[in-house]
Amino acid sequence: MQNNNTMDEITELRQQMAEMKRSLDKYNIVNQNLIKTVMKKRTQGLNWIVNAEFILLPFISLFYLGLCAALDMSMWFAITCSVACLVSALVDIKTMKVSKNLINRLTLKELRIYLLKQKRSRKLQLAIEMPLMIVWLIWFLIAFFDNKKMFGDLVDSEIFMWIKIGIIAVTFIITLVVIMVLFSKSQKINDAIINDIDTIQDTSESVDE
């Protein structure tokens, strides 16, 4: 009789354990779905920027081609700008964009690894692209303000020279600030998502214990 009672208790305990496991699995699934929904919302802005790069690329290329043709400037300005924008946009697909398909396909652990790699790649991209962009910008602005077809005899004026230096300096600062703000914002978005994933995983481990 005592053995039967013991077996009943063991069976009941097993059923309770199985029910707890099912509840835990449901809890983890709900949390994963929640974090992925939040992730999609947080990355919308970055994804939009990458998509906008490809949309604007033809217009940027045509603008510089037209400008260089109209002012008899070197076509290398338009060519180098177009190539640089295209390469940067293609790299941004890996370093900036986090698509919905990717979020749905990867596990939270895999997404965490992907986001960390993305942050490192983004730093490398910044270190390479920013100096090249600044050199190109200064090169173009100097040639633009020295263009006599655009500014005539003003290019020989000392006052105009200081205006040119001032505009180049301001443009340089604005470009630098915009790049760093965008870089900082994208890194913070990744950090926030990684922290959310860590919180969910820590909670799941606590429940398991």
Side-chain angles (χ1 to χ4, degrees), residues 1-157:
M1 190 68 167
Q2 187 174 359
N3 289 338
N4 289 337
N5 290 336
T6 302
M7 290 299 297
D8 291 340
E9 291 175 358
I10 292 174
T11 301
E12 184 178 354
L13 183 60
R14 285 176 177 172
Q15 291 174 348
Q16 291 176 353
M17 292 294 291
E19 183 62 31
M20 286 178 62
K21 187 178 184 304
R22 284 194 294 270
S23 299
L24 179 60
D25 290 341
K26 289 180 182 178
Y27 172 80
N28 289 334
I29 290 171
V30 169
N31 281 341
Q32 287 187 23
N33 291 336
L34 179 61
I35 190 69
K36 287 188 175 186
T37 300
V38 173
M39 190 183 300
K40 290 172 187 176
K41 290 181 179 179
R42 281 183 171 164
T43 55
Q44 277 180 348
L46 297 179
N47 293 340
W48 183 87
I49 290 173
V50 177
N51 293 334
E53 287 182 77
F54 286 97
I55 294 171
L56 292 174
L57 181 58
F59 300 99
I60 293 172
S61 299
L62 289 173
F63 171 77
Y64 281 104
L65 283 170
L67 184 66
C68 290
L71 299 180
D72 295 328
M73 295 175 65
S74 173
M75 282 295 170
W76 281 109
F77 291 113
I79 294 170
T80 52
C81 177
S82 300
V83 171
C85 288
L86 176 60
V87 172
S88 179
L90 291 172
V91 173
D92 282 346
I93 293 175
K94 287 292 184 183
T95 61
M96 294 280 284
K97 193 169 185 177
V98 184
S99 67
K100 292 181 179 180
N101 290 334
L102 183 72
I103 294 172
N104 291 332
R105 179 164 48 86
L106 298 182
T107 65
L108 290 184
K109 185 178 180 180
E110 290 170 337
L111 281 169
R112 188 182 189 278
I113 294 171
Y114 180 87
L115 292 170
L116 287 171
K117 287 182 178 178
Q118 196 177 53
K119 284 186 64 181
R120 290 193 292 268
S121 299
R122 205 177 281 149
K123 288 179 181 178
L124 179 61
Q125 180 187 10
L126 179 69
I128 295 172
E129 284 189 4
M130 183 161 24
L132 294 175
M133 183 184 298
I134 290 171
V135 168
W136 182 91
L137 186 63
I138 293 173
W139 174 46
F140 171 77
L141 288 175
I142 290 174
F144 176 74
F145 285 112
D146 284 343
N147 187 278
K148 287 200 172 185
K149 192 170 183 179
M150 180 71 180
F151 297 103
D153 294 335
L154 281 175
V155 297
D156 299 322
S157 169

